[in-house]
Each structure stands twice: as C-alpha cells, then as structure tokens.
Amino acid sequence: MKSILITTFLSLLLNQAIFGQTLTPEQLQADFSRFRTALNEVHPEMHRYTPKPVFDSLFTVTAARLNQPMTQHEFYVAMTPLLVALRDGHIKWIVAGRDEHYPFFTDKLFPLKLYFLGEKAWIVGNYGAGTVPNGAEVVAINGKPMKQIIQSLLPNMTFADGNRVGGKLEDLNRYFSGYYATYIEAPNAYEVTYLVGREAKNVTLSPVTEQTIKAYVEAHKAAPQKPFRLTFTEPKTAIMTIERFMGDKKEQDFKQFLHNAFREINDKGVQHLVLDLRDNEGGEESWGVLLYSYLAEKPFRYYDHIRVRQKKKYSFPAWTSKLYRVLKGLAVKKREDAFVFTWHRGLGITKPKPNAYHGKLYLLLNGNSFSVTTEFAARVHTDQRTQPGKVTCIGQESGGGYKVNSSGIFAITQLPNSKIDLGIGMFGFNMANVSANPYSDRGIIPDHLVEPTADDLLNQRDRVMDYALKLIQSHKRSLSKVE
C-alpha cells in the first residue's frame, strides 16, 4: 500500500551504501538492536503469523551469528529470516541508494527472463545476446537444479502475507536475476541447461547489467492504457479493469470513473460483471471502501479495527508522516490490551450507492493482487457468502492476507552502520466479519484455479479472462434452459 511513494522516499535518503566495507561485531550488534527495537515498537501485527516465543528464538540465533565481522551484504542476508518471519509483504529492507531488487550487484546478473509456476521455470525473454529459445524449460543453472534454486530463494522472499507463495513467484517473474545474485551467486558466466521437447541442451551465457534488464523491461512494456477501464463484450456483460487503487491529478478521477461506470452498467442492464484486479498491488484504502459501496447489498462495515503498536514517541530515530504525528493524540485510543487508530471511513457503517450493481460478479485475482486489493476481495468474498453463486473468484490466490493487512503509514529508520533502510507499515487493518473464513494464514482462494502458462504469455493469450467469459456463457445457457 502506497509502496511506490515509500520506495521513492527510501531511495532519497541521504546516507549512501557502504559497499565493500567490513562491519565490526559491535557495529552489527548496534544495527541489530535498532532493528529489533523498531519492529517491537512499530509493527502492529508482529506475532500474527509467527508466535512470540518462536520470534524470540530467531532473534537469539541471529544475534549469535553477529559475533564476527561481516560485509553489508552478509549482514543483509543474515537478517532476512527475521523479515520473512513477519509474513508481511509490505515490509521494506532496502540498501540506501540502491534499487531494492538489485541491492548489491548491478552486473553479473542472470541474462534470461523466466516465468515460474510451481517448482518449474520457462524462458519468456532474453535480456542479453543469448539465443536460448523462448518457451524452453530451464532445468538447471550452473549445475543447480531449478527446483533446488526455487526452494532456496522462496524462504528469503517477503512479498506475501501469511504463508502465501503466489506473490513470491510473481516477484521471481520480475526480479529473478536480482534475487539469484543476492542469495545464491553472481558469477562471471551462466551455464544453463534447458529442455526443447524432451532433449536437454546446454549453453554458456554472459551475464548482463541491471541497466540492460531495466532497458529490456521498458522496451517490452505493453502499450499504455487508462488505469481504470470499462468495456462491454456483449449484451448484459461488462468487464471493469482497475490496475491500481491510486493515481494522480493528471489521470482519471477514480470517484468520477466509478460513478459513470456503474451508471452505464445499470443503464445497459448488465447481469454479468467481470472485475479484473490482477496485478493490482493496492494503494489508497478508502478507494477499496468506495468501490465496494457500488457492489454491496446492504450497509456494511469494512474494517473491524485498525491496530497500531503504541501511542508514545518512538525511542529511536525514525521518519513518519507529520500529519500522523499531529493527529495520533486524538486518533489513537487504548482498547483493552491494544492501541487502535479510530479515524478512518472504513470503520463506520457505509451505505450502498443508489446505483449499486446487484448482478453476478466474477472477480479475477493473482499473486500480485495485494494490499488494498486483497482487503477489497476479502470484503466481497465475506459479505456475499450468504448469496451462493453471486460472486465467483477466478485465477490464483491473492498475495495479501484474507483477515489482516499491515501497511498504511510507514515508519522508516536507517540502521546507523550498515546503512540499510527498514520501513514498517504502522497500521494493522483487520477486516470486519471475517471469522467464518477457516484460513488464518491464506489469501482469497479462487473458486476456479486458473494458472497462465509460459505459452500463454508468449502468445499473449489471456487464459484467465477467456475462462471467465466461457463461464459466463455457460451460466447464460443454463439460465435460458430454465426460462
């Protein structure tokens, strides 16, 4: 949530990374102490997925490892298990002055773009001058089986709430080269074993630079479209796409878009609405509340409560929103054994819009459906369960957690010696009326699991959308038979 703004801020912090410098045990322990203090004083849901005794054991083990000199890179890796234990996809761990996905190596990077599904990977692009065919399955890199590589990387990745894996695989799709260099190796050459049909082949490839990868990504971007779109595929069927829950004054007005879109949906008598939220990583919480007001059957509460860790000033240097510092005296209240933030429209009762949609809804999700998007999907899924068949979720499990989302305003501190920035979301957004969901550590699990293949990507075939539209056709045929 607000990840673009937070990442931009972190990249502008004044201190520069100390590449190549060795940190003494005393310096490491000082940074470790700041790290632990920051988590304890800021994170609103620190022990939701990992119990305190387990977390304390992890702290003890990690502290014991910091008894000898380490490089910045070694310290970064040594602290990663603590970040992963939070099971919080919003946590930020960024080397000052560096891209968060390429923290230590700007060259010697893996030169192929891969697509991951399960414990396999396929080639869907070449960053360098290699001639490895797209669509081939990569079975090993420098002698390491791909399954082993994936199993090595996933435990070091944080982009997922709870015990989700889909968000991590989506992150590998975009930043595998950076993860491989950070957590496995950055060699002078890559020997790749791949399959063409059933035939195994080997090729040695030269590494590429971060700049080369980013230039490739920029060159292969899809043609720009408006972030909020409504199309009609046939009578009574509409597709609404919302790429993100944030924008700026130069783009569409989200509030006006929803007003106009749902008026048109009602005017045309739409009975089947596909809401595409794939790759929507979130944004403004209030936008999720607003969108749901156009789908709700009755007045609703969006959040049960918004938890914060404490009300007093932090004991360590940290940046956070000036507005929050001003308002917390009035907005933060003590409730039983916890502090809560009380000023948010999602905490009250929200009425449905007069032109709210009441037909069948088909919600498209994937591992990048995160943060505000998962909150919204959880609200839809929970509140519509009393009307079986009205809402159908299609695609892949969301990256965010069903019951809680830790994000909102961030507190950011820079560790004094390693110069690594730690950003922690201060708000724990606990969804209302979700106790019936049996999974405490999962996201929204689709009714119809539909996973795109590498061949789909290469041929620009939208398997998930095609499935949704075919499902609508089957529903229409069933209805016509009844009539």
Side-chain angles (χ1 to χ4, degrees), residues 6 107 129 220 227 236 250 273 302 421:
I6 295 298
D107 56 6
H220 288 79
K236 311 299 184 183
K250 298 179 182 178
L273 174 62
Y302 202 77
D421 302 321

Side-chain angles (χ1 to χ4, degrees), residues 79-350:
M79 298 295 284
T80 297
L82 293 168
L83 295 159
V84 174
L86 291 168
R87 305 287 193 266
D88 174 6
H90 284 91
I91 198 73
K92 303 297 179 184
W93 183 234
I94 303 177
V95 176
R98 299 299 295 266
D99 186 299
E100 65 178 305
H101 300 106
Y102 303 95
F104 298 101
F105 297 94
T106 59
D107 56 6
K108 298 186 178 182
L109 298 172
F110 186 71
L112 300 175
K113 179 174 176 57
L114 301 182
Y115 176 72
F116 293 83
L117 192 61
E119 294 182 326
K120 293 185 177 182
W122 292 264
I123 300 165
V124 292
N126 284 259
Y127 298 132
T131 56
V132 187
N134 284 339
E137 180 187 346
V138 175
V139 295
I141 300 173
N142 289 345
K144 297 182 181 68
M146 180 53 69
K147 179 177 179 180
Q148 177 184 326
I149 291 171
I150 295 172
Q151 290 175 343
S152 297
L153 291 178
L154 291 181
N156 291 299
M157 299 175 67
T158 62
F159 186 63
D161 290 346
N163 292 316
R164 291 288 300 106
V165 174
K168 295 183 179 183
L169 293 178
E170 294 285 359
D171 232 23
L172 283 182
N173 290 339
R174 294 182 289 181
Y175 308 114
F176 172 77
S177 298
Y179 282 114
Y180 189 93
T182 299
Y183 292 104
I184 296 180
E185 61 177 345
N188 292 319
Y190 290 90
E191 183 179 338
V192 179
T193 304
Y194 62 95
L195 294 178
V196 177
R198 295 184 178 182
E199 182 182 1
K201 296 188 176 184
N202 293 294
V203 64
T204 300
L205 302 174
S206 299
V208 296
T209 65
E210 175 189 343
Q211 183 178 4
T212 299
I213 292 175
K214 290 182 175 180
Y216 175 95
V217 172
E218 187 65 29
H220 288 79
K221 278 185 176 179
Q225 300 185 73
K226 292 182 178 180
F228 322 126
R229 304 185 293 277
L230 178 68
T231 58
F232 297 88
T233 60
E234 57 183 71
K236 311 299 184 183
T237 300
I239 299 173
M240 179 180 290
T241 302
I242 298 178
E243 293 185 352
R244 58 185 183 269
F245 285 109
M246 62 178 121
D248 59 45
K249 293 181 180 180
K250 298 179 182 178
E251 295 182 330
Q252 298 162 281
D253 181 273
F254 184 68
K255 183 177 181 180
Q256 191 64 49
F257 166 78
L258 292 183
H259 175 79
N260 294 340
F262 281 98
R263 181 177 60 188
E264 188 173 6
I265 285 170
N266 278 278
D267 289 345
K268 293 189 175 182
V270 169
Q271 297 175 0
H272 301 269
L273 174 62
V274 179
L275 181 54
D276 190 354
L277 298 180
R278 291 172 294 170
D279 297 319
N280 183 332
E281 294 185 19
E284 298 290 341
E285 300 93 356
S286 60
W287 286 24
V289 180
L290 178 61
L291 176 57
Y292 189 60
S293 69
Y294 282 95
L295 299 168
E297 295 287 342
K298 59 184 179 181
F300 63 93
R301 290 186 64 218
Y302 202 77
Y303 299 122
D304 180 79
H305 63 279
I306 301 172
R307 185 177 179 184
V308 295
R309 194 57 177 265
Q310 63 178 28
K311 187 172 183 176
K312 64 183 180 181
K313 184 178 179 181
Y314 299 134
S315 66
F316 60 94
W319 175 92
T320 191
S321 163
K322 182 178 180 181
L323 179 62
Y324 175 75
R325 296 197 303 270
V326 172
L327 293 179
K328 70 178 180 179
L330 296 173
V332 175
K333 307 290 185 182
K334 184 73 177 291
R335 298 276 173 83
E336 297 179 350
D337 61 343
F339 288 95
V340 294
F341 187 80
T342 59
W343 289 11
H344 197 289
R345 65 173 293 184
L347 292 167
I349 302 297
T350 300

Side-chain angles (χ1 to χ4, degrees), residues 15-16 18 21 23 26-35 72 75 93 96 316-317 413-422:
N15 291 302
Q16 296 299 309
I18 52 171
Q21 179 179 334
L23 300 166
E26 292 75 21
Q27 290 175 316
L28 296 171
Q29 292 292 342
D31 282 13
F32 173 83
S33 178
R34 169 76 66 83
F35 179 99
Q72 183 193 43
F75 176 69
W93 183 234
F316 60 94
T413 188
Q414 186 173 92
L415 305 191
N417 299 296
S418 62
K419 306 304 180 189
I420 301 176
D421 302 321
L422 175 64

